[in-house]
Amino acid sequence: MNWHQQPKEKLEHILQVTAGTGLDHGQAKARLKQVGPNTLEEKKKVPGWLLFLNQFQDTMILILLGATAISAALGEYIDAITIIFIVIMNGILGFIQENKAEKSLDALKELASPTITVRRNGQWKTIPSMEAVPGDIVKLTGGDKVSADIRLLEANGLTAEESALTGESFPVQKTADVLNEDDISIGEKQNMVFAGTLITKGYATGVIVATGMKTEMGKIAHLLSSSEKNETPLQRRLAHLGTMLITGALILTGLVVVLGIMQGQPMYKMFLSGVSLAVAAIPEGLPAIVTVVLALGVQRMIKRNAIVRQLPAVETLGCASVICSDKTGTLTQNKMKVTALWDGSGLSLRKPKKSFQKTKNEKLLTYGALCTQITVDSTHSQTAANSDMKGDPTENALLEAAASCGIELNMLLSNHKVERDFPFDSERKRMSVLVKNKKGESFIITKGAPDILLERASHIDTNGRIERLSTYKKNEVKQTIGYMANKALRTIAVAYRPLKAGETINSADAAERNLIFLGVEGMIDPPRQEAKDAIMECRQAGIKTIMITGDHKDTAAAIARDIGLLPEYGLVITGKEWNQATDKEKQKLMQRAYVFARVSPEDKLNIVNVLKKQGHIVAMTGDGVNDAPALKSADIGIAMGKTGTDVAKEASALILRDDNFSTIRSAIKEGRNIYENIRKFIRYMLASNVGEILVMLFAVMLGMPLPLVAIQILWINLITDGLPAMALGLDQPENNVMKRPPRSAKESIFARGMGWKIISRGFLIGCVTLLGFMTALHEQPNDLIRAQTIAFSTLVMAQLIHVFDCRTNQTIFDRNPFENKYLTAAVLSSIFLLLLVIYTPMLQPIFHTTPLSAMEWALVLALASIPTFALAGKTLFRQTNVRKAKAS
Ligand code: ATP
């Protein structure tokens, strides 16, 4: 269908809808049922059974199964069945982990799902884009992401960025006019916008002509990089590490097998033990646990209102060294109320719960209320403004101030018609409307940052008397702005200009000149109390907070001081000052910069780049279309969930559901903790594996019998690697996570002494296990099963004690070991599984075990404690010595 050639009436006819009222709920429901949800079909999901089977794809597991088949052929049925049982249990565990990871990631996708504003039963309603259907009448404004193919019915200064479809990144102008050309490309269909593209500016209404896979985007969806992997740098590094670990483990186990055979051990037994050892020593669960820990961490972040859009951000968050934050709504409450008015005749202050004097301030309040997006939208929507209409808090405050004096919006709208508008943008810092009153007089009203409006005004209106704006008067206005700003008030000036007969206005620039200055409205926007604590905590964590705002220098400084962001020596820099500085000066200024005021989105990008050049990892907030480049360029772009545009969200790695600064702090804390938890279980798993390999290697080197049989090795792998490692990944943060500086992004996973800890603990675990085995053999040389049971128990217990040590970078005594309930439960279940195979008479022959006496348990526990407690003792001893040395 050539939608672009159809006139409005034809479109309404084909799509069975009336533009003025939209679809009714019943129609929409029926169409949704007929055409399906407005989503792009995703790559076919891996079914559960396949995910389960995938667990056995691992080469080592396949070799093990091969070895098991050989043992079955040799008549060792019980061995074979047990190995298969353990392998299946391992597979189930892996399946649960991967399934959980996938489910959590899916849940994240749903959270970030977009919305669309449609007209249903005559009312504008915001619904999930998924529910939009062909025939829906929709409203689009600058910053929206288009979620269906739409033929425009009305367009006002609309531009769209269609690079996702056409590759052209420069925004194109759109119109609602019918196009006659027959066969034209997507890029030429100027009266249509397409799913997946972005509205950069303007306002439009239109009718949906295609949804889901029927859209132009849907048609090429299969060409898109649907296989795009959301992997973090750490996951990539771990994949690399995995290959090294596998090689290392294979070489060592190969050595064990060769030495064993040379010592005269039976070949078949050595082969089975070797393969089991390789299966145990290769941390095959590592990638899945990393994903689960990341995904669960991300879910915890959601509970704290931070939505992660890109998984790598979780890691980068932990490295953040600077947060560049917006002021309004993020550091302040965005609950604005006009408390001061100034017009030519002087200042009026509003007492709490009182209104201003209508007679004195009527014109300022009226014009302030008329020049708002709500009046514009009410005009466009051809319905009277209704209380559901949500405006920007700044504008709501202006409307409320007017309404409190009886100047109601509906009354204003019945007496005036907004004929054109030039919407607010943070570059111009002002907006204008062209209004016609009942007498037929047309005039421009502009409102915006007072310093900027002053530059565009030539006259001033004092109680209806219009005079030239003298330098004296200008200074009076500036003093007033300064007075209000120092009281942390946000200031908005209002100005106007009657249009001459026949004058046409083609651009914002033409509208906003030779203005008559009317006055200034000052509004409070109380700081968020929680921001104060968050800024302090970030400072302790070595993270600098910088405020970047479009607001006035003094207002910004007053609020920054109030929330403890601006230290005595800190600088407040305006966008103008920043742009005048040379690159070298900028580097220097940045050292002491804490507040950037009256900046434009372009300056934001420059600030990010200077910070990055200084080696910072930058988190940057933003909400508008123009913020997108800065958000993309920052290491962690953070969009506002409530006030942010789709464009800003699209460019970000993180979305703050509550727009609150303290949420960033929580996300950083969580990011740091997730990374530490990953380090914790890697440390635990690798030290355990080193211990397992070494005990076998030492034994064959010393010409001793094998301390563990194949099934014991596999059982150890099952009960110590699975649940305890997962539980470590869910550990609570240490008290000092936010008391140490951010880690370097280039830091190795083994940094800060972890490599040494893995090797030393692993070595000791191997040694004590061997010692237990040798002691038992020395006492009763003929009872190999007893010695093996002691070795088996010592190895398991040493790992289960060591797991508590892994919770901290200090010693086991520095944290309450039982604080992590999951870990305690996992360890108890592992102990139970150990006792089960030692004390169940039926299982004893299968696992080659025998019950141990109390004395033997005392030996096992004493030996198993050594790796953890001996080294903790050593650290404590050293700390005491350092303390003593400091004291003396
Ligand atoms: P932040 O960037 O921290 O959110 P901000 O909201 O003050 O701060 P902008 O939204 O860019 O930054 O606003 C800059 C200035 O523009 C404000 O100080 C105000 O004077 C003016 N302004 C803000 N909103 C409007 C509006 N809706 N209409 C006209 N002028 C506005």
Side-chain angles (χ1 to χ4, degrees), residues 692-856:
E692 286 160 22
I693 294 188
L694 288 185
V695 66
M696 297 292 275
L697 186 65
F698 291 160
V700 288
M701 279 166 72
L702 294 174
M704 298 170 68
L706 289 183
L708 300 163
V709 297
I711 286 183
Q712 288 171 343
I713 298 173
L714 290 174
W715 193 245
I716 292 173
N717 183 43
L718 178 73
I719 66 177
T720 61
D721 265 15
L723 293 181
M726 277 278 277
L728 262 187
L730 301 176
D731 208 18
Q732 293 87 348
E734 278 187 87
N735 287 339
N736 62 357
V737 256
M738 289 299 270
K739 294 210 172 74
R740 48 181 186 232
R743 70 164 206 279
S744 153
K746 294 190 198 108
E747 183 188 286
S748 141
I749 186 91
F750 297 116
R752 289 179 271 141
M754 200 173 93
W756 161 247
K757 280 188 172 136
I758 290 173
I759 293 176
S760 59
R761 277 18 168 219
F763 177 78
L764 282 180
I765 290 174
C767 287
V768 295
T769 309
L770 192 69
L771 199 62
F773 182 64
M774 284 162 69
T775 314
L777 267 189
H778 182 72
E779 280 174 6
Q780 294 180 30
N782 294 329
D783 198 347
L784 183 60
I785 290 199
R786 181 173 158 272
Q788 283 174 331
T789 311
I790 287 181
F792 175 51
S793 313
T794 309
L795 186 54
V796 172
M797 291 313 295
Q799 293 185 14
L800 294 181
I801 296 173
H802 175 240
V803 75
F804 292 104
D805 195 22
C806 295
R807 295 185 59 231
T808 162
N809 257 330
Q810 291 139 18
T811 69
I812 191 166
F813 306 116
D814 285 288
R815 295 189 82 180
N816 169 6
F818 306 114
E819 195 182 16
N820 180 345
K821 282 186 239 102
Y822 302 110
L823 186 61
T824 314
V827 167
L828 287 177
S829 72
S830 299
I831 294 178
F832 170 76
L833 290 171
L834 170 69
L835 297 179
L836 188 77
V837 296
I838 296 181
Y839 287 98
T840 313
M842 215 180 75
L843 296 177
Q844 286 161 357
I846 301 176
F847 284 88
H848 300 251
T849 51
T850 175
L852 298 180
S853 68
M855 275 310 285
E856 284 162 344

Side-chain angles (χ1 to χ4, degrees), residues 327-328 392 395 424 426 447-449 490-491 549-551 598:
K327 168 180 70 70
T328 312
D392 155 59
E395 300 198 334
F424 174 74
S426 41
K447 78 171 199 308
R490 181 176 172 81
T491 49
T549 175
D551 214 337
R598 283 281 186 257

Side-chain angles (χ1 to χ4, degrees), residues 664-682:
I664 306 177
R665 178 258 325 249
S666 308
I668 289 183
K669 194 170 173 182
E670 197 58 70
R672 285 186 175 197
N673 189 39
I674 290 173
Y675 186 82
E676 284 311 314
N677 283 354
I678 290 177
R679 266 169 57 95
K680 286 177 197 170
F681 71 70
I682 289 181

Side-chain angles (χ1 to χ4, degrees), residues 325-330 336 371 392 394-395 398 424-427 429-431 447-451 490-493 547-552 598-599 604 623:
S325 171
D326 280 350
K327 168 180 70 70
T328 312
T330 315
M336 307 217 200
C371 181
D392 155 59
T394 305
E395 300 198 334
L398 300 179
F424 174 74
D425 87 55
S426 41
E427 198 93 40
K429 297 189 174 33
R430 56 183 186 267
M431 77 170 273
K447 78 171 199 308
D451 31 337
R490 181 176 172 81
T491 49
I492 300 272
M547 176 195 279
I548 302 189
T549 175
D551 214 337
H552 191 279
R598 283 281 186 257
V599 292
K604 273 189 168 182
D623 47 17

Side-chain angles (χ1 to χ4, degrees), residues 422-491:
F422 301 99
F424 174 74
D425 87 55
S426 41
E427 198 93 40
R428 284 165 48 239
K429 297 189 174 33
R430 56 183 186 267
M431 77 170 273
S432 300
V433 287
L434 197 170
V435 175
K436 195 176 203 171
N437 64 16
K438 274 201 160 154
K439 290 186 220 156
E441 297 160 339
S442 292
F443 49 99
I444 295 283
I445 308 176
T446 306
K447 78 171 199 308
D451 31 337
I452 302 210
L453 251 61
L454 263 190
E455 287 167 15
R456 305 212 135 232
S458 55
H459 291 74
I460 184 163
D461 178 336
T462 314
N463 288 336
R465 200 178 67 243
I466 294 167
E467 52 193 2
R468 276 207 79 74
L469 186 61
S470 60
T471 317
Y472 176 78
K473 210 64 190 170
K474 254 189 189 168
N475 283 339
E476 193 184 333
V477 179
K478 280 184 185 159
Q479 268 173 14
T480 311
I481 302 169
Y483 169 82
M484 288 188 185
N486 275 318
K487 294 214 160 335
L489 295 186
R490 181 176 172 81
T491 49

